[in-house]
Amino acid sequence: GESVGLHLPTLSVQEGDNSIINCAYSNSASDYFIWYKQESGKGPQFIIDIRSNMDKRQGQRVTVLLNKTVKHLSLQIAATQPGDSAVYFCAESPSYSGAGSYQLTFGKGTKLSVIP
Amino acid sequence: TAGITQAPTSQILAAGRSMTLRCTQDMRHNAMYWYRQDLGLGLRLIHYSNTAGTTGKGEVPDGYSVSRANTDDFPLTLASAVPSQTSVYFCASSADPDGTDTQYFGPGTRLTVL
C-alpha cells in the first residue's frame, strides 16, 4: 500500500548547524505535504507545508524542498537551536475529492537532538 | 486563544469499561479529527467530521464511536475498552476539510487500558 516514511529515525546536530530531515513518499497522487514538530508530551505542531506545484517553500529558519521525480520531501532547519529538539513528522495527502475526509498519512517520525 | 482542549490529560481504565474522551475547539473550525499515536506506527486516523452533524470512519475506527452535535465539540467514546486501545489520543481540527487548511492538534490524552 501507499506509505510515507523517513530515511533517518534519529538525527543529532550541533547547535548552530543546519539540520536536514528527509521523508520519502510513495503515493504518486499526493498533492499536499506538511511537516509537523512534536515535543515530548505535546501534540504535533504545524511547521510548514507545500503543494505539489511547488519545489521549495521557505518559512522562518525552515525550508521545505519537494522533489516529485523521486518522491522525496525534506525539511531544512537553519542554525539549529536547542528548542528545535523534537520529533518531526512529514504527512501527505492526495487532492481532496469532495468525499470522505482530507486524510493525512503520517510518517513515523525522526527524532532531532540538538547538542549544545 | 485556547485552540483545542482535550480532557482528561491521562486516564487508566479497566478493560471492559466505557470512556469518553472530550475535545473542544474555539476556532469555529468545520472539520475535526481523532487520531491515535502508537510507537512505531505514527499517527492514525480513527474518525473524522467534516462539519457539525456528520461523521466518518478513518483508518482504525473499530471499537470507537464519535458524535458531532455542534461545531465546537467532538467526543470520542470507547464502549468497551480493550488493552490494544492503550495509546495517546489526539484531537485535531481544520477550518475546512478540503485540504487547503492545516490541521491543528490538541495536547493529547494518554489512555492506559488494563
Side-chain angles (χ1 to χ4, degrees):
Chain A
E2 304 287 358
S3 65
V4 176
L6 296 176
H7 292 306
L8 300 173
T10 60
L11 178 65
S12 295
V13 177
Q14 199 74 37
E15 180 178 358
D17 288 350
N18 297 335
S19 302
I20 300 176
I21 301 171
N22 296 303
C23 179
Y25 66 95
S26 56
N27 187 351
S28 58
S30 295
D31 179 57
Y32 182 58
F33 304 87
I34 309 175
W35 281 101
Y36 284 91
K37 171 186 179 183
Q38 187 175 23
E39 297 174 278
S40 181
K42 298 184 178 179
Q45 177 187 0
F46 170 83
I47 301 174
I48 193 168
D49 59 2
I50 189 169
R51 293 206 169 274
S52 60
N53 61 353
M54 302 173 67
D55 297 322
K56 178 180 180 179
R57 192 172 187 204
Q58 290 183 292
Q60 186 177 9
R61 282 200 308 116
V62 295
T63 300
V64 55
L65 298 177
L66 176 62
N67 185 328
K68 296 179 285 294
T69 301
V70 296
K71 298 187 181 70
H72 185 267
L73 189 70
S74 68
L75 176 70
Q76 300 180 358
I77 304 173
T80 311
Q81 304 169 358
D84 294 326
S85 293
V87 176
Y88 290 81
F89 294 92
C90 63
E92 57 90 11
S93 175
S95 299
Y96 183 58
S97 65
S101 80
Y102 161 48
Q103 294 198 23
L104 289 173
T105 299
F106 286 84
K108 294 178 175 52
T110 291
K111 182 177 181 180
L112 175 65
S113 296
V114 181
I115 304 167
Chain B
T1 301
I4 300 177
T5 58
Q6 292 184 236
T9 301
S10 64
Q11 182 74 44
I12 299 175
L13 187 67
R17 301 296 295 269
S18 65
M19 179 176 182
T20 295
L21 281 62
R22 300 185 296 279
C23 174
T24 300
Q25 53 103 357
D26 63 2
M27 298 175 282
R28 307 303 294 172
H29 283 174
N30 284 313
M32 297 188 74
Y33 314 84
W34 273 105
Y35 292 88
R36 59 178 290 173
Q37 185 175 38
D38 303 288
L39 277 175
L41 296 175
L43 284 153
R44 294 180 292 168
L45 183 66
I46 304 171
H47 284 287
Y48 65 91
S49 170
N50 287 345
T51 189
T54 69
T55 62
K57 295 180 179 180
E59 179 185 355
V60 288
D62 294 343
Y64 307 94
S65 63
V66 293
S67 61
R68 187 89 183 276
N70 56 61
T71 297
D72 299 343
D73 301 299
F74 190 43
L76 176 73
T77 297
L78 287 69
S80 180
V82 295
S84 63
Q85 292 178 308
T86 294
S87 187
V88 181
Y89 291 86
F90 289 101
C91 180
S93 72
S94 62
D96 288 296
D98 64 1
T100 61
D101 292 290
T102 303
Q103 290 188 24
Y104 296 93
F105 285 79
T109 293
R110 182 175 296 275
L111 178 65
T112 302
V113 182
L114 301 176

